[in-house]
Amino acid sequence: MKKTIIIAMLFVILVAAGANALQITSATIGGENQDRVANVSTTVTVTNDGTSDLSSIAMSFAGDSRYNIRFEPSSFDLNAGATQTVTVYGDIPVDFDAVIKQTSNSDFLDATPFNIGTMKAAAGSVEATSDLSMQAVNQLFIKKVTAVCGDESERLDDGETFEELSPDMACSITVEIENTFDDDDRDDLKIGDIDFDPAYIEVESMDNELDLDEDDDLDMDPDEEDELTFEFDIEEDTEEGDYDVEVRAYGTDENNAFHGEMWTVEFEIERLKHDIKIKQASISPVQMDNCQDRKVNVDATLLNLGKRDEE
């Protein structure tokens, strides 16, 4: 008897759930090209996928009030099986970050939408929730990376490789960055004429075999490009292989929004089978008289950079 009652109760619950059910899609206000301004909109879809009509469905937002989230319509009726498109309005603050700021995050400097809260559609006890995100434009970019090793020079884009390098080379890497804020703020919206004071540049090898870990900073005016050069050596005992180097540019603008970008470039170090170099040499005596019968001593230091032992 108890089993029958429990099964009957479950059946009633399932029927009730099927009779009244709501769904609401998630959404993002803004995007990768969106300025930080008021009244930016997107849409969500609310669906009554139950078997009963629902009336006075109310839209609401749980999150920080500074985003000023509004819905149009904010309340509506919805027949069973029907859908309603709702426009979501919000204000993107001037200090809204463009990229991930936490250096401990594996996605550091990724340009991404940020979750700002939860939307709800509710009619009495029947309700549905979904996430609401926001994204604003990034305005600090890496424009160019140029590497020089020995007599070779290579312009590198994100993901590209400087090939066929050898140990015992003097190198440099030049990073050019760009502040893409317009140099005018005609409408006084704080979306132009914005400085980075400063913008930081970092270059760091992801492998200790390659000794490269440098940083510096620049003051960047709006619509300005500038560069920094870092010098380093490929040591004579560096193992053959491919070495990833992260190039990072980031900064906080004068409105306190965080911007930046990261590239990864690669240095390919190869060792020849046979590669002998003369590191230094000396001759003694330095001067000799043609008429004298004397020895000349030549001392040389040789370095084997090749893969094989040499005799």
Side-chain angles (χ1 to χ4, degrees):
M1 184 64 178
K2 286 184 178 179
K3 277 188 178 180
T4 303
I5 294 173
I6 291 172
I7 291 171
M9 290 176 64
L10 288 172
F11 178 76
V12 170
I13 291 171
L14 291 171
V15 169
N20 298 292
L22 279 175
Q23 300 290 335
I24 178 173
T25 57
S26 58
T28 297
I29 293 176
E32 60 182 12
N33 297 312
Q34 175 62 58
D35 287 325
R36 294 163 179 78
V37 293
N39 296 317
V40 182
S41 66
T42 187
T43 60
V44 297
T45 300
V46 181
T47 303
N48 178 359
D49 56 6
T51 57
S52 300
D53 298 343
L54 293 172
S55 59
S56 301
I57 299 172
M59 299 293 300
S60 61
F61 171 72
D64 198 319
S65 61
R66 75 188 188 118
Y67 302 119
N68 192 23
I69 302 300
R70 297 96 65 202
F71 301 94
E72 180 60 43
S74 59
S75 180
F76 50 88
D77 300 333
L78 203 54
N79 294 333
T83 62
Q84 173 69 51
T85 299
V86 177
T87 302
V88 186
Y89 295 92
D91 300 345
I92 303 181
V94 294
D95 63 351
F96 195 82
D97 290 340
V99 297
I100 293 175
K101 191 173 185 177
Q102 293 78 16
T103 55
S104 59
N105 193 318
S106 61
D107 296 325
F108 177 54
L109 297 181
D110 275 3
T112 183
F114 293 91
N115 182 275
I116 60 170
T118 304
M119 298 175 291
K120 180 191 290 186
S125 60
V126 181
E127 61 183 44
T129 61
S130 66
D131 292 333
L132 181 61
S133 298
M134 184 172 282
Q135 185 175 14
V137 63
N138 179 37
Q139 303 278 31
L140 184 62
F141 292 95
I142 299 170
K143 187 174 179 65
K144 183 170 63 174
V145 171
T146 304
V148 178
C149 286
D151 297 328
E152 300 296 323
S153 176
E154 191 79 29
R155 175 171 175 172
L156 301 171
D157 289 327
D158 185 24
E160 292 189 336
T161 302
F162 197 167
E163 299 177 339
E164 299 180 354
L165 302 175
S166 62
D168 195 34
M169 296 185 79
C171 299
S172 68
I173 184 167
T174 300
V175 183
E176 183 177 336
I177 64 173
E178 180 180 15
N179 175 0
T180 60
F181 274 111
D182 194 285
D183 59 3
D184 192 5
D185 190 21
R186 289 179 292 273
D187 299 319
D188 196 27
L189 295 174
K190 296 186 178 180
I191 58 173
D193 195 23
I194 304 297
D195 298 337
F196 288 94
D197 185 15
Y200 298 93
I201 298 177
E202 299 173 346
V203 290
E204 181 182 6
S205 170
M206 297 296 97
D207 191 315
N208 291 333
E209 280 284 328
L210 186 62
D211 187 16
L212 176 57
D213 186 2
E214 303 288 342
D215 63 87
D216 208 339
D217 59 78
L218 294 166
D219 292 339
M220 296 291 293
D221 293 330
D223 198 23
E224 181 186 31
E225 300 169 6
D226 207 344
E227 66 182 30
L228 285 171
T229 298
F230 305 93
E231 296 183 350
F232 66 101
D233 294 322
I234 300 176
E235 303 293 344
E236 61 188 43
D237 59 350
T238 304
E239 295 293 333
E240 183 175 73
D242 298 332
Y243 294 88
D244 286 341
V245 172
E246 288 188 356
V247 181
R248 300 181 286 265
Y250 59 89
T252 302
D253 70 26
E254 63 182 78
N255 291 326
N256 208 36
F258 188 71
H259 305 247
E261 187 176 28
M262 179 167 66
W263 287 9
T264 300
V265 298
E266 190 174 70
F267 290 81
E268 178 189 70
I269 299 174
E270 295 183 348
R271 287 183 179 270
L272 302 176
K273 288 183 180 179
H274 304 283
D275 188 8
I276 301 293
K277 287 187 178 181
I278 299 174
K279 289 291 288 183
Q280 62 183 16
S282 63
I283 300 175
S284 64
V286 177
Q287 294 181 338
M288 291 186 64
D289 190 325
N290 291 340
C291 298
Q292 291 182 339
D293 183 15
R294 296 183 62 183
K295 281 186 176 183
V296 176
N297 294 319
V298 179
D299 292 322
T301 300
L302 303 181
L303 177 64
N304 181 7
L305 296 174
K307 295 181 180 180
R308 297 184 176 179
D309 296 338
E310 302 288 358
E311 295 181 2

